[in-house]
Amino acid sequence: MQTQGSSARALPHSDHGTPLRATVIWVVLIAATIVTWSVGESGATGPAIVGLLFSIAFGKGALIILDYMALRRAPLMWPMLALGWMTLVCALIGIAYWKGLAA
Amino acid sequence: MNTCAQTLVSPPALPAVASDSPARRLPGDLAIWFFILAELLAFGAFFIAYAFARANNVELFNEQQLALDRNAGALNTILLLTSSYFVVRAVQAAEAGQGRRAATWIAGGFACGAGFIVVKLFEYTAKFAAGVSLSSSTFHMFYLVLTFFHFMHVILGLVILAALWNGARKGRYSPGNMNGIETGAAYWHMVDLVWLILFPLVYVMR
């Protein structure tokens, strides 16, 4: 159950950041997407490229989780769970890619 | 929690909580976060299954991936990110006491989400015309199941955004009533989040 004290609501403090911060993050997310798309267009392959792709994906995901989902100021369990999910999925994709190289 | 001492010491005109040390708070309804966790686990299982299926069929996956429309995938990434950005601006507007203005931002978010659906339908139409089906190959099975599972989440997200838009138009969201808009926004960002892995995994990694 969420309880929100009425006194806290009147504060200038924001749980959702500022419009400027949200806009800067959007620019970073779009730029990162263009990098990922360019890698695809170039046809580049290999462990370093896949490492780059999923590092970018992890960075974008972290921005969504911490800023857009506003988990940066949530009880620590929640950002840790979401970032832990990202880490686990990206790591297992990396392991599977490695396995495919060895096959 | 208020003690007599606090009441006496704290002037009523000042906020009870210092603005530089706000309490940690989970935005929106607690239930949506358990739902989001369950969704992340389901998508995660699909992604990992795809990655290991690919490891056993690298040549097939690499060859058939070349036929995917990467431009459509990238465009859809941009549409979802922009939609998420508009929804953040809607939440910020509501938080700033501009509840009705939030409706305009949500409408922008909805339009981008609807754009995703249109692009995806063009992509599916082209694929079906080329003979792609669930049974045409392991790669196509994964491509269709993964993207369609996500597609259904976008549709549910659009229904939620439509409800938020309606609520915002009626001035339902305000600094004192953020629960509904925060709950809907959290779901919509989850739909974006999983696509951020799906796109490089299915469309780019080779």
Side-chain angles (χ1 to χ4, degrees):
Chain A
M1 291 291 274
Q2 300 290 310
T3 54
Q4 299 175 357
S6 58
S7 59
R9 286 181 201 127
L11 295 175
H13 157 72
S14 163
D15 282 325
H16 297 281
T18 61
L20 175 63
R21 184 178 175 87
T23 305
V24 169
I25 287 171
W26 176 78
V27 170
V28 170
L29 291 169
I30 297 298
T33 302
I34 292 168
V35 173
T36 299
W37 170 81
S38 307
V39 168
E41 289 299 290
S42 74
T45 62
I49 294 296
V50 171
L52 172 71
L53 286 176
F54 284 93
S55 298
I56 290 173
F58 183 87
K60 289 164 79 177
L63 286 173
I64 295 286
I65 288 167
L66 294 175
D67 287 278
Y68 282 13
M69 285 178 145
L71 289 183
R72 189 183 291 281
R73 295 185 186 86
L76 277 180
M77 178 187 102
W78 293 98
M80 298 298 273
L81 277 174
L83 291 172
W85 173 84
M86 282 288 295
T87 308
L88 185 67
V89 170
C90 289
L92 285 170
I93 289 169
I95 290 168
Y97 184 80
W98 203 266
K99 184 172 175 274
L101 285 180
Chain B
M1 291 284 282
N2 270 346
T3 64
C4 291
Q6 279 176 317
T7 312
L8 287 171
V9 171
S10 305
L14 290 177
V17 182
S19 60
D20 59 347
S21 59
R24 288 188 164 271
R25 185 183 74 86
L26 189 65
D29 209 277
L30 179 62
I32 194 69
W33 290 99
F34 282 108
F35 185 65
I36 285 172
L37 279 186
E39 295 277 31
L40 290 181
L41 288 176
F43 273 103
F46 270 130
F47 293 155
I48 292 160
Y50 172 95
F52 281 94
R54 178 189 174 279
N56 294 323
N57 302 276
V58 175
E59 283 179 17
L60 170 83
F61 274 57
N62 281 354
E63 180 200 330
Q64 298 198 334
Q65 184 201 56
L66 280 178
L68 292 188
D69 190 342
R70 256 190 318 278
N71 294 339
L75 175 60
N76 267 345
T77 311
I78 288 170
L79 284 169
L80 280 189
L81 289 171
T82 306
S83 179
S84 260
Y85 167 71
F86 287 157
V87 170
V88 170
R89 294 298 301 267
V91 173
Q92 289 175 339
E95 194 180 39
Q98 301 168 321
R100 287 179 201 278
R101 196 167 172 197
T104 310
W105 287 112
I106 292 170
F110 185 94
C112 289
F116 178 98
I117 296 290
V118 171
V119 171
K120 206 89 205 115
L121 286 176
F122 272 109
E123 192 183 326
Y124 281 147
T125 305
K127 286 283 157 279
F128 292 147
V132 167
S133 73
L134 281 173
S135 55
S136 53
S137 78
T138 309
F139 174 79
H140 289 150
M141 188 274 286
F142 269 106
Y143 160 73
L144 288 175
V145 169
L146 262 175
T147 57
F148 191 72
F149 188 54
H150 181 267
F151 182 85
M152 294 308 290
H153 284 76
V154 176
I155 289 178
L156 175 58
L158 286 175
V159 172
I160 291 171
L161 287 188
L164 290 183
W165 175 75
N166 191 40
R169 273 176 64 233
K170 292 175 178 165
R172 197 174 291 157
Y173 308 118
S174 64
N177 185 14
M178 292 291 289
N179 202 52
I181 195 168
E182 285 181 340
T183 302
Y187 179 85
W188 187 245
H189 296 315
M190 182 276 293
V191 172
D192 188 5
L193 178 64
V194 292
W195 181 262
L196 294 184
I197 294 184
L198 198 159
F199 175 58
L201 178 66
V202 176
Y203 288 77
V204 182
M205 183 179 93
R206 49 189 298 103

